[in-house]
Amino acid sequence: MNKKYFIILLVFFFIIHIKETYGCHASGGGCENRSNYKCGAQVTYANLQPNSILNITVKSPDYLDGRGASAIGHFSMHVDNNGGGYYFFKKPIWINGCHCSSCENIPLSYNSQWQFDLPTPPKGTGFDIWIAIYWSCLVGTRSVPCNSENVHYRGYVN
Ligand SMILES: *[C@@H]1O[C@H](CO)[C@@H](O)[C@H](O)[C@H]1NC(C)=O
Ligand SMILES: *[C@@H]1O[C@H](CO)[C@@H](O)[C@H](O)[C@H]1NC(C)=O
């Protein structure tokens, strides 16, 4: 075999390997009130802090074998009184240390802070958040199946 061709092939398989190791993502399968899990994922806390920071806590509905809140995605917000909207990200990201090869013994809740590209409105201003919460993810290499729920949260700046 041609040496150059062999090296190209090697690089190709190396890239595939990298993609399988690091390129996997949570894939939402919805949720239903059947057997050992049920819907009920929540945003348990959210506030727009000064300096345009959203502080948010999400929670998965149950604690099945320690498979708690595992990923978040489709994450956006809108501020009342023409305060504008902001799209944080669409593609789900892993949280609580959950990843392609292991999502065990992780907590129900996850707190995080996110910068948004709008001024923080005055106290008392209403805002809406839309976020997909994923839990009970199985192990996988590319598309990891999880239970998921699209959650809407209505809050007021305090
Ligand atoms: C599932 O059950 C919970 C608790 O009984 C209920 O609050 C929730 O609305 C149900 N979800 C669906 C999709 O039926
Ligand atoms: C986020 O909010 C929680 C709940 O109020 C609070 O305990 C925590 O200190 C806040 N985090 C930051 C970085 O402000």
Side-chain angles (χ1 to χ4, degrees):
M1 202 194 295
N2 186 317
K3 215 175 180 177
K4 215 158 143 190
Y5 178 73
F6 181 73
I7 287 169
I8 288 168
L9 206 69
L10 213 69
V11 167
F12 179 75
F13 281 114
F14 182 68
I15 289 167
I16 295 269
H17 175 75
I18 294 269
K19 266 195 132 169
E20 286 192 347
T21 311
Y22 302 101
C24 83
H25 61 275
S27 158
C31 57
E32 43 188 316
N33 283 352
R34 235 203 287 141
S35 62
N36 52 2
Y37 63 89
K38 60 178 193 240
C39 305
Q42 300 171 55
V43 171
T44 54
Y45 174 87
N47 190 30
L48 308 183
Q49 299 181 167
N51 304 323
S52 303
I53 305 236
L54 165 65
N55 181 1
I56 183 168
T57 304
V58 298
K59 188 171 167 288
S60 62
D62 52 26
Y63 211 154
L64 181 66
D65 299 331
R67 283 176 283 169
S70 304
I72 49 175
H74 303 274
F75 182 15
S76 66
M77 66 175 236
H78 189 266
V79 178
D80 287 4
N81 310 328
N82 297 320
Y86 189 75
Y87 210 114
F88 292 97
F89 52 85
K90 183 176 180 199
K91 233 182 113 172
I93 60 154
W94 297 113
I95 58 174
N96 272 339
C98 175
H99 56 88
C100 340
S101 51
S102 172
C103 282
E104 308 223 323
N105 301 313
I106 57 171
L108 250 67
S109 285
Y110 181 73
N111 172 261
S112 55
Q113 287 79 39
W114 302 92
Q115 187 92 39
F116 53 85
D117 192 16
L118 301 167
T120 295
K123 277 186 189 214
T125 307
F127 63 92
D128 291 280
I129 290 172
W130 293 271
I131 189 167
I133 301 170
Y134 301 76
W135 70 95
S136 286
C137 299
L138 301 174
V139 168
T141 50
R142 277 174 169 233
S143 181
V144 179
C146 307
N147 295 148
S148 65
E149 192 168 4
N150 297 322
V151 175
H152 169 233
Y153 177 88
R154 172 82 181 154
Y156 298 87
V157 178
N158 76 58

mmCIF file of all heavy atoms in Angstrom, residues 10 42 53 55-56 84 101-102 107 121 126 128 143 146 151 153:
data_model
loop_
_atom_site.group_PDB
_atom_site.id
_atom_site.type_symbol
_atom_site.label_atom_id
_atom_site.label_comp_id
_atom_site.label_asym_id
_atom_site.label_seq_id
_atom_site.Cartn_x
_atom_site.Cartn_y
_atom_site.Cartn_z
ATOM 1 N N LEU A 10 -5.113 6.530 8.239
ATOM 2 C CA LEU A 10 -4.870 6.555 9.678
ATOM 3 C C LEU A 10 -5.493 7.812 10.302
ATOM 4 O O LEU A 10 -6.185 7.752 11.326
ATOM 5 C CB LEU A 10 -3.359 6.545 9.921
ATOM 6 C CG LEU A 10 -2.904 5.818 11.180
ATOM 7 C CD1 LEU A 10 -3.139 4.322 11.034
ATOM 8 C CD2 LEU A 10 -1.424 6.095 11.429
ATOM 9 N N GLN A 42 -38.126 20.515 36.155
ATOM 10 C CA GLN A 42 -38.484 21.887 36.518
ATOM 11 C C GLN A 42 -37.291 22.823 36.492
ATOM 12 O O GLN A 42 -36.162 22.387 36.688
ATOM 13 C CB GLN A 42 -38.958 21.942 37.973
ATOM 14 C CG GLN A 42 -40.144 21.140 38.362
ATOM 15 C CD GLN A 42 -40.292 21.184 39.879
ATOM 16 O OE1 GLN A 42 -40.366 22.251 40.487
ATOM 17 N NE2 GLN A 42 -40.313 20.022 40.487
ATOM 18 N N ILE A 53 -26.336 38.571 33.956
ATOM 19 C CA ILE A 53 -26.068 37.158 34.263
ATOM 20 C C ILE A 53 -27.370 36.488 34.698
ATOM 21 O O ILE A 53 -28.065 36.989 35.582
ATOM 22 C CB ILE A 53 -25.034 37.017 35.399
ATOM 23 C CG1 ILE A 53 -23.777 37.774 35.027
ATOM 24 C CG2 ILE A 53 -24.817 35.541 35.774
ATOM 25 C CD1 ILE A 53 -22.510 37.047 35.026
ATOM 26 N N ASN A 55 -28.867 33.426 36.592
ATOM 27 C CA ASN A 55 -28.533 32.359 37.551
ATOM 28 C C ASN A 55 -29.735 31.416 37.555
ATOM 29 O O ASN A 55 -30.848 31.829 37.853
ATOM 30 C CB ASN A 55 -28.296 32.998 38.930
ATOM 31 C CG ASN A 55 -27.907 31.981 39.995
ATOM 32 O OD1 ASN A 55 -27.796 30.786 39.716
ATOM 33 N ND2 ASN A 55 -27.716 32.455 41.216
ATOM 34 N N ILE A 56 -29.506 30.171 37.202
ATOM 35 C CA ILE A 56 -30.628 29.245 37.009
ATOM 36 C C ILE A 56 -30.343 27.878 37.630
ATOM 37 O O ILE A 56 -29.211 27.390 37.592
ATOM 38 C CB ILE A 56 -30.950 29.116 35.488
ATOM 39 C CG1 ILE A 56 -32.160 28.207 35.250
ATOM 40 C CG2 ILE A 56 -29.746 28.640 34.693
ATOM 41 C CD1 ILE A 56 -32.695 28.261 33.817
ATOM 42 N N GLY A 84 -36.250 42.530 25.195
ATOM 43 C CA GLY A 84 -35.509 41.719 24.232
ATOM 44 C C GLY A 84 -35.448 40.251 24.577
ATOM 45 O O GLY A 84 -35.919 39.818 25.621
ATOM 46 N N SER A 101 -20.134 8.366 28.127
ATOM 47 C CA SER A 101 -19.897 7.021 28.637
ATOM 48 C C SER A 101 -20.365 6.805 30.073
ATOM 49 O O SER A 101 -20.345 5.699 30.564
ATOM 50 C CB SER A 101 -18.426 6.668 28.507
ATOM 51 O OG SER A 101 -17.653 7.687 29.053
ATOM 52 N N SER A 102 -20.799 7.871 30.760
ATOM 53 C CA SER A 102 -21.254 7.681 32.128
ATOM 54 C C SER A 102 -22.158 8.806 32.611
ATOM 55 O O SER A 102 -21.801 9.972 32.547
ATOM 56 C CB SER A 102 -20.051 7.573 33.063
ATOM 57 O OG SER A 102 -20.488 7.575 34.396
ATOM 58 N N PRO A 107 -26.442 14.286 40.645
ATOM 59 C CA PRO A 107 -27.551 14.888 41.393
ATOM 60 C C PRO A 107 -28.755 15.259 40.527
ATOM 61 O O PRO A 107 -28.648 15.393 39.312
ATOM 62 C CB PRO A 107 -26.933 16.142 42.006
ATOM 63 C CG PRO A 107 -25.577 16.288 41.461
ATOM 64 C CD PRO A 107 -25.255 15.131 40.583
ATOM 65 N N PRO A 121 -32.881 43.998 33.307
ATOM 66 C CA PRO A 121 -33.969 44.953 33.533
ATOM 67 C C PRO A 121 -34.152 45.250 35.035
ATOM 68 O O PRO A 121 -33.604 44.537 35.871
ATOM 69 C CB PRO A 121 -35.187 44.223 32.970
ATOM 70 C CG PRO A 121 -34.844 42.785 33.034
ATOM 71 C CD PRO A 121 -33.369 42.665 32.927
ATOM 72 N N GLY A 126 -40.801 41.112 34.574
ATOM 73 C CA GLY A 126 -41.076 39.705 34.270
ATOM 74 C C GLY A 126 -40.174 39.186 33.160
ATOM 75 O O GLY A 126 -39.747 39.949 32.296
ATOM 76 N N ASP A 128 -39.328 35.286 30.794
ATOM 77 C CA ASP A 128 -39.659 33.894 30.492
ATOM 78 C C ASP A 128 -38.401 33.151 30.079
ATOM 79 O O ASP A 128 -37.549 33.715 29.395
ATOM 80 C CB ASP A 128 -40.657 33.823 29.335
ATOM 81 C CG ASP A 128 -42.019 34.343 29.732
ATOM 82 O OD1 ASP A 128 -42.778 33.595 30.371
ATOM 83 O OD2 ASP A 128 -42.312 35.517 29.405
ATOM 84 N N SER A 143 -25.323 9.604 19.575
ATOM 85 C CA SER A 143 -26.579 10.177 20.009
ATOM 86 C C SER A 143 -27.049 9.373 21.221
ATOM 87 O O SER A 143 -27.399 8.213 21.099
ATOM 88 C CB SER A 143 -27.574 10.068 18.858
ATOM 89 O OG SER A 143 -28.785 10.629 19.240
ATOM 90 N N CYS A 146 -32.034 9.983 25.994
ATOM 91 C CA CYS A 146 -32.380 10.439 27.339
ATOM 92 C C CYS A 146 -33.887 10.691 27.388
ATOM 93 O O CYS A 146 -34.511 10.882 26.357
ATOM 94 C CB CYS A 146 -31.723 11.782 27.653
ATOM 95 S SG CYS A 146 -29.946 11.882 27.401
ATOM 96 N N VAL A 151 -39.321 22.755 29.222
ATOM 97 C CA VAL A 151 -39.877 23.453 30.373
ATOM 98 C C VAL A 151 -39.946 24.957 30.109
ATOM 99 O O VAL A 151 -39.018 25.545 29.561
ATOM 100 C CB VAL A 151 -39.015 23.174 31.628
ATOM 101 C CG1 VAL A 151 -39.488 23.989 32.820
ATOM 102 C CG2 VAL A 151 -39.020 21.687 31.966
ATOM 103 N N TYR A 153 -40.503 28.564 32.116
ATOM 104 C CA TYR A 153 -40.461 29.163 33.454
ATOM 105 C C TYR A 153 -40.751 30.647 33.352
ATOM 106 O O TYR A 153 -40.215 31.338 32.489
ATOM 107 C CB TYR A 153 -39.070 28.953 34.069
ATOM 108 C CG TYR A 153 -38.884 29.586 35.430
ATOM 109 C CD1 TYR A 153 -39.206 28.903 36.594
ATOM 110 C CD2 TYR A 153 -38.353 30.883 35.541
ATOM 111 C CE1 TYR A 153 -39.019 29.480 37.842
ATOM 112 C CE2 TYR A 153 -38.165 31.463 36.790
ATOM 113 C CZ TYR A 153 -38.499 30.757 37.940
ATOM 114 O OH TYR A 153 -38.321 31.334 39.167
#
